[in-house]
Amino acid sequence: MKFTEPKFTVAANLKQDVPGLLTQADVAVAGFEAHPAFFPNSAKVVQDIKDARKTLGDTLTTTGPLKKAGKARSPAERALRNKLTDGARFAETCANDDPANGSAIVAASTFSQKGKTTHTKAPLTLTHGKASGTVLADAKAAKKGRAFYSWHYSLDNGQTWVEVAQTNSHKTLLEGLPVGKLVLVQVAVTQKDVRGPWGDTANIIVH
C-alpha cells in the first residue's frame, strides 16, 4: 500500500498564561460546537476540554492568579493543555478525512495549520486585527509594476460574497465582521488595466 502524507498538520499553539489558556479553551469549544458537520463524533473531545477547563477555572478562582507556564504548572493546567492538544489532533484527523474542506475545518477548530515551509509566502494570509471583528488580509505582492488589489469576503461558506474597496496595497483591513463566524476571503490583482481571476480562498474564525 502506498503511503500518502497527510495534507494537513494542526498545531495547538497553546497560550503560555493560565487566563489565556482558559480563553483558548472557550474559543476551541465554540469552534467545535458551531460547526458540527466539520467535526463528527466530537462530543467526547469537546466534553473533555470543557471538564478540564472548568477544573482549572475553579482552581484559578479559588487560589487567585496562578504562576505563568514554566513556573510549576498545576496538575489542572497540565490536564487542560493535554486536552487542548488532543483537540488539535482531532481537528487534524477531521481535516485529513475531508481534504476538500480541510482548511475550513482547521480554521473552524480555531487551532493553527502548520505550513510546509516558512520561506515561501502564501498567496493570501489572514490574521486577526487589533480590534474585535476585524481581519487583516495580506496578499502576495505583485512582482512587477503597479498593481491594484480587489477584495471580497463571504460569511456563508462561499454562497454569497461582499466586495470591499479596491486598494493599491497588497493588504487590507476587513472591519465589522461578526465574532465567531468563519470568514472566507479572496483577492484579485489588476495590472496594466487587466484584472486577474479571484485567487485561492483563505479563511479564519473572526475574534
Side-chain angles (χ1 to χ4, degrees):
M1 181 180 293
K2 184 178 178 181
F3 174 75
T4 302
E5 182 182 1
K7 181 176 180 181
F8 299 94
T9 304
V10 178
N13 288 340
L14 301 178
K15 300 298 183 182
Q16 293 302 306
D17 61 292
V18 170
L21 196 67
L22 294 172
T23 298
Q24 186 174 10
D26 292 338
V27 172
V29 166
F32 283 126
E33 292 184 335
H35 304 87
F38 284 166
F39 305 107
N41 304 314
S42 63
K44 185 178 186 307
V45 172
V46 171
Q47 191 61 50
D48 284 349
I49 294 174
K50 285 182 176 179
D51 290 345
R53 190 258 183 249
K54 183 179 186 306
T55 299
L56 180 57
D58 290 346
T59 302
L60 180 64
T61 301
T62 302
T63 64
L66 298 179
K67 294 180 180 180
K68 290 188 175 182
K71 297 181 180 179
R73 290 185 180 126
S74 68
E77 181 184 348
R78 289 197 300 270
L80 181 54
R81 288 180 177 277
N82 289 337
K83 295 307 179 184
L84 284 170
T85 299
D86 290 344
R89 290 173 181 163
F90 175 74
E92 179 177 291
T93 298
C94 292
N96 285 300
D97 286 346
D98 184 8
N101 293 309
S103 293
I105 290 170
V106 177
S109 76
T110 73
F111 295 112
S112 302
Q113 182 179 341
K114 288 184 181 178
K116 296 295 182 182
T117 176
T118 58
H119 300 295
T120 302
K121 183 178 179 180
L124 178 62
T125 58
L126 305 177
T127 55
H128 297 113
K130 293 181 179 179
S132 180
T134 63
V135 168
L136 178 64
D138 183 358
K140 191 172 183 179
K143 291 183 178 180
K144 296 181 180 179
R146 187 175 179 83
F148 296 92
Y149 300 83
S150 299
W151 312 87
H152 68 183
Y153 67 87
S154 173
L155 296 170
D156 54 13
N157 205 29
Q159 296 183 42
T160 59
W161 294 87
V162 178
E163 192 156 354
V164 297
Q166 187 183 63
T167 63
N168 57 10
S169 166
H170 60 89
K171 296 182 181 181
T172 193
L173 185 66
L174 305 176
E175 300 177 284
L177 302 174
V179 174
K181 290 285 288 185
L182 177 70
V183 59
L184 311 183
V185 182
Q186 293 179 329
V187 61
V189 182
T190 300
Q191 287 186 290
K192 296 182 178 179
D193 297 325
V194 177
R195 176 167 157 170
W198 292 109
D200 292 341
T201 303
N203 54 70
I204 195 171
I205 296 289
V206 181
H207 285 186

